[in-house]
Structures are given as structure tokens and as C-alpha cells.
Amino acid sequence: MISIFDIFKIGLGPSSSHTVGPMKAAAAFAECLAQQGLIAQTERIMIEIYGSLALTGQGHGTFDALLLGLEGSLPEEIDLAAIAERLSRIRARQQLQLGARTITFNVERDLHILGGESLPKHPNGLRFHAYASDGLELCAQVYYSVGGGFIVTDETFGQEAAAAAEVPYPFHSAAELLAQCRREQLNIAEVVLANEMALSGESEDKVRARVAAVAEAMEACIKRGLGSDGLLPGGLNVRRRAPQLAAKLRVLREAEIVNTQLWPMVYAMAVNEENAAGGRVVTAPTNGAAGIIPAVLHYYRKFNPHTTQARVENFLLTAGAIGILYKTNASISGADVGCQGEVGVACSMAAGAYAEAIGGTPAQVENAAEMAMEHHLGLTCDPVGGLVQIPCIERNGIAAEKALKLGALALLEDGHDKKVSLDMVIQTMLQTGRDMKATYKETSLAGLAITLQQEAVPVSVRVVEC
């Protein structure tokens, strides 16, 4: 069992797999050198960047994340305000801080961007090399950024991490999860809460406090997004729209023209505009889909008169259970299975969680989660310019609205009389991703990405030769 806190991680934008993962990989390599006592001998580090990471790395901030990671920074604790100055220093001086030492690092020489090549196990591959002053290779390591900020080495790829403790209600499929709920007369949130207590060794109050902190981080991100104007970075000249849209909705509300269903779209857009700007977001389960669960949760908190703090926490516990099923049985990486693995998974998590929050049974929660993915199957990942802006921002808004409707729809039925199960749709999503052409999986080589290029839209993003 993995933890829901592996699914919900506080980090930075714009991408969990292309920014957060590479930063963590670089930091892990630096730590590996330190543990082996190689820092004092290391005079040069070279990084080879493959596949999707290379093709869309400029727009996703991959190359910058690698530099910051080598200096020991991690996404959850980095000082966002200091990033620009640090990157400017590294490039201007052609030096970076490796542990206690300063080493030469020439970005043009030491970052090898290989968009036309892929490592065999995943499209998001990185190979790090450390060299002594005489050119002798001291250490080399391959990392894969497999979605949602998760990283694995070449040696551990495909291996499930062992649980820190046995959990009382293990499940590896939705069917097993529902069976645990029936057998123990528990809802999904209660099953997950008990498992989290066992994994962490913490009390119920402490686990719930951690869940509440995730909820508050999501809330804070929405508020920042609704309060920030201006153009998003990257060269597409996309303007933040959430503040103006929210203002228009407030005017309509004052005129007693109420359309509350538009609010979750605006909330999701606010989060994803923050993400696109490189702000602090919660990976849920990825950065590219980070707006959906916060938007649905915020809508529930704001418009449902029966909301309580415990129900807010149960919302995230339930969403986390669904995310665990996708992470362990399929993929949450757009570079691996397309955007169905990001926006589709987030919509599925949000729909199931919303169904639980408004009184759904475990079977109704499962049905809501299944329906949400069923209508995202085949969704491609084709970001324009490699930026998490077009179509990602609006796509999150649409998925948030869809999650609300499907969560409510699920409560009109008992969840039993249906043909397709959540387990079946998860496997279908995985197979669909395997069948999808690589150009539609976060490469910016097809779909909207090239349609806008053909229309001669100016994009100040470095073109990577394949």
C-alpha cells in the first residue's frame, strides 16, 4: 500500500512529472554522491535528458529544476522567491553548489537534451554522470520520473515499495476495497484512515491534521489564483482569466442571475494558472491536473450547507483511495498514457470523493469514479509549446464541473446494476495509453501543439531538435 500523502504532495509548478520529479531526481543524485563520499572528488556533472522531458522541458521548467535539485533543493521546501536569482547566478557564473563545494557547471555543455531518444522503461528518463578532474567517471545513475512527482531508479523501476507497516484493510483493486467496506461495515474514508494510521504510526487526530493541511494548501492556492492578474510566463502570452471570470460571476450573483456550476470551473482555472506560473500547488495526483480536486472540494465547502471539517477530510481520504488504485494498477503520467492519466484520473478521484461527501455509499462512490474515467478515455496530452497552459487550464475547469455532475448522478442509482466496473475502466485506460501514439503523450509533436504552430502563433520556447 502507498499512502495518500504520496498522491497529495505540496510542491511547485508547472509539472509534477517534468518539474517536481526532475528536481527530486537531481537532489537524489547529489545525495547519492554525498553518501558515497564522492563530493570532494566530483569536478563535473553531466545530465542526459530523454524523450518527453527533453521535448517539453523548456516549457515545463525541467532544465531549471535539475539545476536547483543538484544544489539540494526539494519542491516542497524551496523558497519560490529566490529561484530566479539562483538560476541567474548559476548561469552567469557557470557554477553551482554541490554540497559544501562549488563546481563548474556549463548549462550548454552539461545538459544534453535528447528529444529524439528515449530510455527503454519510460518516456521521462534522466541519466546523471559525475566525473573527477581527470575525466574518470565516478558515478552514473538513471532515474525515471513516472508521474505525480514519483521517481524511481533504473534498478527499482516496476518494483513496489514495501509498506512501512502492515495495514488493517489492504486492497489492490476497487473490488477488494469494496469488499473491505462491506465486510467491516466501513465507508472508504474510514478504511483509508485506518490504513494511514498503520502506515505512519500516528493517531487518528494526527493523520486528520495532515489531511486538513492538504485541504488548506488547496484552499490557499485557489485564493492566490483568484487574486493574481497578468500574463503567464513562457511566451504564449496567455493572460490569467480566473480573477476576471470570478468578478463577472459575482456581478451576476448580485443581479440574481445565479449559475453556481460555473464556479468550480473558475476555481480549477485559478489553481492551474498558479501552477502555470510556477507557484505552490498540491499535486493531485499531478500538477497538470492539480485544479480539479481543489475546485470540487472548495465548491463543496462553499455551497453545501452540511459541510463539516470531518467531511472535508473524508473527501480527501476517499479521493486518495481512488488515486492509489490508478497509481498502483495503471499510470498517472501524461507522458506514459496521455492526459487521461492526469485530468481523467483527477476527475475520477474528485467525482468519487464528491459522491462520498454528499452521502454516497462505497458502491456509489465506485460508480462515480468509473463514470468519470469512462468519459476521459483516450484524452491526449498535447500542451502547446510544452507549457501547462493550453489546453490544460480550461481542461481542468471542464473536468471539475464533470466531476460534480457525475458524483451527484451516482447517488440517483445504487451503484450495483452496471456493466463496467472501476477496475475494468482503469485497465482500459492503461491499455488505451499503451495504444496511443507517442506524439500525443506530452511531446508537443501532435494535436493542438502543432495546430497552433501551423497557425503561426508566436511562442518563445526553445525548439528541441529530434
Side-chain angles (χ1 to χ4, degrees):
M1 296 295 299
I2 63 172
S3 168
I4 64 165
F5 299 108
D6 294 320
I7 300 295
F8 298 124
K9 298 184 288 291
I10 298 173
L12 77 164
S15 173
S16 49
S17 60
H18 288 58
T19 316
V20 173
M23 184 181 292
K24 290 170 66 174
F29 184 68
E31 178 62 21
C32 181
L33 293 177
Q35 290 178 354
Q36 295 184 51
L38 296 174
I39 294 290
Q41 301 173 57
T42 300
E43 292 293 334
R44 179 192 174 198
I45 290 178
M46 188 264 284
I47 310 173
E48 295 165 343
I49 307 161
Y50 294 90
S52 176
L53 290 178
L55 290 166
T56 64
Q58 186 71 14
H60 282 123
T62 303
F63 313 135
D64 291 344
L66 290 168
L67 305 181
L68 298 168
L70 285 176
E71 289 201 328
S73 292
L74 291 171
E76 63 272 19
E77 60 191 30
I78 191 170
D79 181 359
L80 299 182
I83 287 177
E85 184 277 329
R86 288 177 59 192
L87 292 172
S88 177
R89 168 184 54 79
I90 291 170
R91 286 184 164 85
R93 299 180 183 177
Q94 295 189 358
Q95 294 177 333
L96 59 78
Q97 198 69 26
L98 183 66
R101 295 188 63 233
T102 300
I103 68 168
T104 300
F105 193 95
N106 183 319
V107 172
E108 298 300 321
R109 180 196 67 184
D110 296 327
L111 290 183
H112 291 211
I113 303 168
L114 307 172
E117 301 178 36
S118 285
L119 294 177
K121 297 178 181 178
H122 194 279
N124 289 339
L126 297 161
R127 182 180 281 114
F128 292 79
H129 304 264
Y131 298 99
S133 57
D134 60 1
L136 175 68
E137 183 174 83
L138 300 171
C139 182
Q141 182 63 61
V142 169
Y143 293 90
Y144 293 98
S145 178
V146 294
F150 289 87
I151 60 169
V152 294
T153 65
D154 202 27
E155 295 79 13
T156 61
F157 187 93
Q159 299 177 14
E160 294 299 332
E166 290 187 6
V167 297
Y169 308 120
F171 60 88
H172 302 284
S173 66
E176 290 180 2
L177 175 59
L178 293 179
Q180 291 281 20
C181 291
R182 287 193 302 269
R183 184 181 307 114
E184 305 296 333
Q185 293 297 293
L186 299 172
N187 62 36
I188 291 174
E190 290 169 330
V191 166
V192 175
L193 179 61
N195 286 348
E196 289 296 331
M197 291 166 61
L199 286 171
S200 64
E202 296 175 337
S203 67
E204 177 178 343
D205 287 346
K206 287 188 176 181
V207 172
R208 283 192 172 276
R210 293 173 67 194
V211 177
V214 171
E216 292 312 306
M218 290 178 172
E219 186 86 357
C221 188
I222 291 174
K223 291 178 180 178
R224 287 196 304 273
L226 291 176
S228 302
D229 288 302
L231 296 178
L232 294 172
L236 285 178
N237 294 324
V238 172
R239 183 171 297 279
R240 289 180 184 250
R241 297 157 61 196
Q244 288 74 26
L245 291 172
K248 291 176 181 178
L249 285 180
R250 294 188 190 102
V251 171
L252 292 175
R253 182 178 61 196
E254 292 298 322
E256 299 185 351
I257 303 172
V258 180
N259 188 338
T260 58
Q261 288 293 317
L262 287 176
W263 277 110
M265 296 181 65
V266 175
Y267 298 149
M269 292 173 68
V271 172
N272 282 85
E273 287 172 355
E274 274 294 288
N275 179 63
R280 184 76 69 199
V281 299
V282 177
T283 300
T286 69
N287 283 31
I292 298 162
I293 292 170
V296 174
L297 178 57
H298 186 71
Y299 177 88
Y300 170 68
R301 297 174 85 164
K302 189 174 181 67
F303 292 102
N304 191 302
H306 305 295
T307 303
T308 65
Q309 180 61 28
R311 288 178 176 177
V312 167
E313 294 157 8
N314 288 350
F315 180 105
L316 289 174
L317 288 164
T318 303
I322 298 166
I324 288 170
L325 291 173
Y326 281 100
K327 171 60 183 169
T328 56
N329 293 299
S331 176
I332 56 172
S333 168
D336 188 22
V337 294
C339 199
Q340 58 176 358
E342 298 198 35
V343 164
V345 171
C347 185
S348 182
M349 293 168 65
Y354 185 66
E356 196 279 340
I358 60 176
T361 66
Q364 290 168 326
V365 169
E366 187 260 4
N367 191 28
E370 180 278 319
M371 288 190 291
M373 175 50 74
E374 186 177 331
H375 301 292
H376 280 93
L377 290 173
L379 187 62
T380 60
C381 188
D382 53 350
V384 177
L387 301 168
V388 191
Q389 298 178 18
I390 301 172
C392 316
I393 295 170
E394 285 183 358
R395 185 173 282 175
N396 273 252
I398 296 296
E401 180 195 17
K402 189 182 295 186
L404 282 166
K405 291 180 177 178
L406 292 173
L409 175 63
L411 265 66
L412 299 179
E413 302 171 297
D414 63 13
H416 297 293
D417 186 22
K418 59 192 185 72
K419 303 296 184 184
V420 180
S421 70
L422 178 56
D423 290 327
M424 292 166 64
V425 85
I426 289 174
Q427 288 306 305
T428 302
M429 185 272 281
L430 179 62
Q431 187 58 51
T432 302
R434 295 289 181 261
D435 293 341
M436 190 182 293
K437 290 178 64 176
T439 53
Y440 288 98
K441 294 190 285 189
E442 211 164 0
T443 61
S444 287
L445 296 175
L448 280 175
I450 63 169
T451 299
L452 262 70
Q453 291 176 10
Q454 292 168 349
E455 293 295 323
V457 175
V459 182
S460 61
V461 175
R462 180 169 59 179
V463 176
V464 179
E465 296 296 333
C466 300

